[in-house]
Amino acid sequence: MDIRQLRYFVTVVEEANFTRAAARLHLAQPGVSAQIRQLEKELGQPLLDRSARSVTLTEVGEAVLPYARAALTAVEAVRQTVDEFTGLLRGHVRMGLVSGAGAAAHEFDLASLLTGFHDDHPQVEIVLTEDTSQRMLVALNRGHLDIAVIGLTGEEPPPGISLQVVIDEPLVAAVPPDDLAITHESLTSIPLAGLRDRPLISLPRGTGIRGVLDRACAQAGFQPRIAFEAAAPLFVAELAARGLGAAVVPALRDDAASAFGLRTLEIIEPRLRGRIALAWRTDAPSGPAAAAFLDLLRATLTPPGTD
């Protein structure tokens, strides 16, 4: 038995599926299966029940799992102790970005932060994934992500998740200048009720902005009429410019609105906010590398109004 086999075993248990476990380990599925078969052969007992679609633990597997996890923790602690003596930071950081967050990345220049951290700690591997806010919160809770940049819906975060807001801006309805919602050149806002029964273009379900819109409409007693969905706010705005509906997006810069030929009306009564936040497990990321990167992000991405 070796530590690699134990790591494969624990990963398959957490994913309840050999294919997903292999993808997470960046390995071929047959190789993962073969190594776990070898582990079972050495122990003389099956650890996993493969008879159903979802892989489950046998009684022996349930007894072995805590010791396998303890062994992996001990090995990682040995590596970390040696690294502390040598001053070397190594490991990996798993970071998630909400779909469409790239459009707001200029606000905090994530690319420069990643580059600087990599230059300082070249032995640290940073893996970036893009997903919806809802799925990333689940991944954080399960330990599959260390840090995430998510959109907030206005609901309380799940227990055990900490947040730091890094972007907070009004939501607007972006429409062409000849849109019927604009009755006067000086008009700068539109009540939420003014969007009732209008074709809207929005980010997909699971994103923070869509969650804010759906929640506000439900409280106002109607369901938004979503005509089109797109993951990137600027593409949502482009669809609005082509007359396909009113785009519900974070406030656009003047040059971006002009480039699309759009007028933006702040949504009021109530005012809706688009907020993006750092999210992490309250009990801290899983290793020194993730903790160091989180410290950098929290120090650099200051909350709105704290400059």
Side-chain angles (χ1 to χ4, degrees):
M1 153 189 346
D2 62 36
I3 199 67
R4 178 184 54 176
Q5 293 170 333
L6 296 180
R7 182 173 292 110
Y8 295 178
F9 167 61
V10 170
T11 304
V12 170
V13 171
E14 291 176 347
E15 295 292 340
N17 181 277
F18 278 93
T19 301
R20 290 196 300 269
R24 180 173 153 193
L25 291 163
H26 305 291
L27 296 169
Q29 186 268 337
V32 174
S33 298
Q35 287 296 321
I36 294 180
R37 291 281 190 193
Q38 182 62 31
L39 176 62
E40 292 174 320
K41 182 178 179 180
E42 292 179 20
L43 294 175
Q45 292 288 336
L47 302 178
L48 299 172
D49 183 350
R50 303 162 173 82
S51 60
R53 292 186 62 184
S54 179
V55 179
T56 59
L57 286 163
T58 64
E59 186 176 359
V60 174
E62 289 180 356
V64 167
L65 180 61
Y67 295 101
R69 283 178 166 152
L72 295 176
T73 300
V75 170
E76 183 61 27
V78 170
R79 291 198 181 105
Q80 290 175 15
T81 300
V82 173
D83 289 346
E84 287 172 4
F85 276 97
T86 60
L88 176 66
L89 186 64
R90 73 171 85 220
H92 61 270
V93 180
R94 299 158 300 181
M95 183 175 185
L97 295 172
V98 68
S99 300
H106 66 277
E107 298 284 351
F108 46 80
D109 199 2
L110 181 60
S112 292
L113 288 174
L114 289 167
T115 301
F117 188 81
H118 176 71
D119 289 344
D120 292 338
H121 307 289
Q123 297 298 320
V124 174
E125 176 189 8
I126 300 178
V127 178
L128 297 177
T129 60
E130 186 175 278
D131 210 334
T132 67
S133 298
Q134 290 177 346
R135 286 198 288 264
M136 287 193 295
L137 285 171
V138 173
L140 282 171
N141 260 326
R142 293 178 176 176
H144 297 171
L145 288 177
D146 299 304
I147 306 165
V149 177
I150 67 171
L152 302 182
T153 66
E155 298 178 341
E156 289 296 317
I161 298 295
S162 294
L163 301 174
Q164 177 175 307
V165 176
V166 297
I167 294 179
D168 187 344
E169 53 193 358
L171 293 188
V172 301
V175 296
D178 59 354
D179 190 275
L180 295 178
I182 302 175
T183 57
H184 195 277
E185 284 294 322
S186 62
L187 190 67
T188 60
S189 62
I190 184 172
L192 178 65
L195 301 180
R196 183 194 296 263
D197 299 327
R198 286 182 56 100
L200 302 180
I201 310 168
S202 175
L203 271 66
R205 289 187 182 276
T207 58
I209 289 173
R210 178 61 177 275
V212 168
L213 176 63
D214 288 347
R215 184 181 173 92
C217 290
Q219 291 175 344
F222 69 94
Q223 183 174 347
R225 180 185 163 194
I226 306 298
F228 294 92
E229 294 180 346
L234 290 182
F235 185 59
V236 171
E238 183 177 356
L239 293 178
R242 295 177 181 271
L244 298 177
V248 178
V249 291
L252 297 172
R253 299 193 310 273
D254 290 342
D255 58 341
S258 297
F260 288 119
L262 294 172
R263 288 276 305 277
T264 58
L265 307 174
E266 183 180 357
I267 301 172
I268 60 173
E269 300 176 15
R271 281 186 163 84
L272 305 186
R273 307 291 298 183
R275 296 191 299 158
I276 292 178
L278 282 177
W280 66 93
R281 285 176 63 97
T282 304
D283 58 5
S286 57
F293 190 50
L294 176 60
D295 287 344
L296 172 66
L297 293 174
R298 295 190 66 191
T300 307
L301 309 184
T302 55
T306 60
D307 295 340

